[in-house]
């Protein structure tokens, strides 16, 4: 008798769709260790995109990470800068080597995980805390500001308010990740905030997604 051994299957929250960056009003493109620009792209024959942006010179062979929003979800692709195709106008052209938009987890799926988080505010204040939940789109963080008995004053002094920009350091098994974010909500009584991650690169998104996926598996196998 044949028996199949393994872990129970759990539902994976994924979306399958065709990547359409040329329909997005804005695409953020990071070129290797060089500049990052926000612009539009146009579709060219084959898996090639033309960057609609002037004044930036990028060497052929440079890697390019593209991010855009498609139907309310973050979409991503990786490519390589190539020479302009024959008879094409001058400009930056990217050959799409891999699309990670085809299958992706929803940004809104929040996983209840507790990891160390350090918030760096625009006025150079540093406040530590722990996450209550994390998704690919953001996190809820319970801060431990100095003078926690007066959380309202501590948060105000640190410049922590809805709409403010910040950077949050999340300590994951793969290391500490420095993530640009926007504070979207503040509970001044509990010192809990909600942040939305901004402009995650593909490597960070992949590592964060892997961590959340592993946590979902762990919780499914070992419910508390």
């Amino acid at each position: 008798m044949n028996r199949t051994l393994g872990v129970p299957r759990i539902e994976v929250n994924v979306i399958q769709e065709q990547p359409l960056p040329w329909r997005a009003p804005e695409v953020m493109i990071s070129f290797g260790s060089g500049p990052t620009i926000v612009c539009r792209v146009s579709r060219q024959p084959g898996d090639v995109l033309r960057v609609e942006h002037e004044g930036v010179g990028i060497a052929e062979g440079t890697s390019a990470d593209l991010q855009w929003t498609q139907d309310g979800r973050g979409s991503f692709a990786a490519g390589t800068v190539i020479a302009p195709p024959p008879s094409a106008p001058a400009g930056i052209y990217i050959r799409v080597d891999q699309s990670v938009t085809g299958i992706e987890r929803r940004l809104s799926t929040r996983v209840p995980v507790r990891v160390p988080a350090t918030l760096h505010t625009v006025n150079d204040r540093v406040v530590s805390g722990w996450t209550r939940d994390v998704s690919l789109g953001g996190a809820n963080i319970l801060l431990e500001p100095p003078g926690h008995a007066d959380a309202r004053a501590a948060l105000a002094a640190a410049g922590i308010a809805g709409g403010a920009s910040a950077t949050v350091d999340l300590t994951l098994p793969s290391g500490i990740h420095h993530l640009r974010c926007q504070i979207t909500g503040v509970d001044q009584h509990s010192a809990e905030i909600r942040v939305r991650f901004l402009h995650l690169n593909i490597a960070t998104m992949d590592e964060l997604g892997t961590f959340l996926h592993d946590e979902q598996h762990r919780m499914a196998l070992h419910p508390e």
Side-chain angles (χ1 to χ4, degrees):
M1 178 177 66
N2 294 329
R3 299 180 61 190
T4 300
L5 302 178
V7 299
R9 295 175 62 87
I10 66 171
E11 181 180 354
V12 179
N13 192 7
V14 298
I15 294 295
Q16 176 134 12
E17 61 184 16
Q18 180 185 5
L20 306 170
W22 51 89
R23 293 188 180 177
E26 285 188 340
V27 177
M28 189 183 77
I29 309 175
S30 300
F31 293 99
S33 58
T36 297
I37 61 175
V38 177
C39 61
R40 294 189 66 116
V41 299
S42 58
R43 188 181 188 182
Q44 305 294 313
D47 294 329
V48 175
L49 301 174
R50 183 179 188 273
V51 177
E52 304 295 333
H53 188 85
E54 303 296 334
V56 176
I58 305 296
E60 294 177 31
T62 301
S63 61
D65 292 342
L66 296 86
Q67 304 180 48
W68 69 96
T69 299
Q70 185 169 319
D71 295 331
R73 294 182 293 272
S75 302
F76 309 89
T80 304
V81 177
I82 63 173
S87 303
I92 302 173
Y93 291 81
I94 298 173
R95 181 190 66 235
V96 178
D97 300 321
Q98 179 184 17
S99 169
V100 292
T101 308
I103 298 179
E104 63 174 5
R105 301 173 184 86
R106 287 185 183 271
L107 294 178
S108 59
T109 302
R110 299 181 182 182
V111 181
V113 292
R114 177 180 166 89
V115 298
T118 302
L119 191 75
H120 301 261
T121 67
V122 292
N123 57 359
D124 297 325
R125 298 293 184 93
V126 179
V127 185
S128 298
W130 297 83
T131 62
R132 285 190 182 274
D133 62 65
V134 181
S135 71
L136 290 179
N140 275 320
I141 303 172
L142 181 61
L143 298 175
E144 299 174 350
H148 187 67
D150 189 1
R152 183 190 300 267
L155 293 174
I160 298 174
S165 298
T167 301
V168 63
D169 297 342
L170 291 186
T171 303
L172 304 180
S174 57
I176 299 177
H177 296 267
H178 312 284
L179 311 177
R180 291 176 54 195
C181 64
Q182 181 181 42
I183 300 171
T184 58
V186 179
D187 186 326
Q188 296 181 332
H189 298 287
S190 66
E192 183 171 354
I193 67 170
R194 179 71 190 169
V195 301
R196 181 174 66 240
F197 301 142
L198 303 174
H199 307 316
L200 298 186
N201 60 43
I202 289 178
T204 299
M205 180 69 77
D206 183 63
E207 291 182 3
L208 182 58
T210 297
F211 167 69
L212 296 177
H213 181 265
D214 291 345
E215 285 296 304
Q216 287 177 312
H217 270 281
R218 182 187 63 78
M219 288 183 286
L221 294 173
H222 304 286
E224 296 180 356

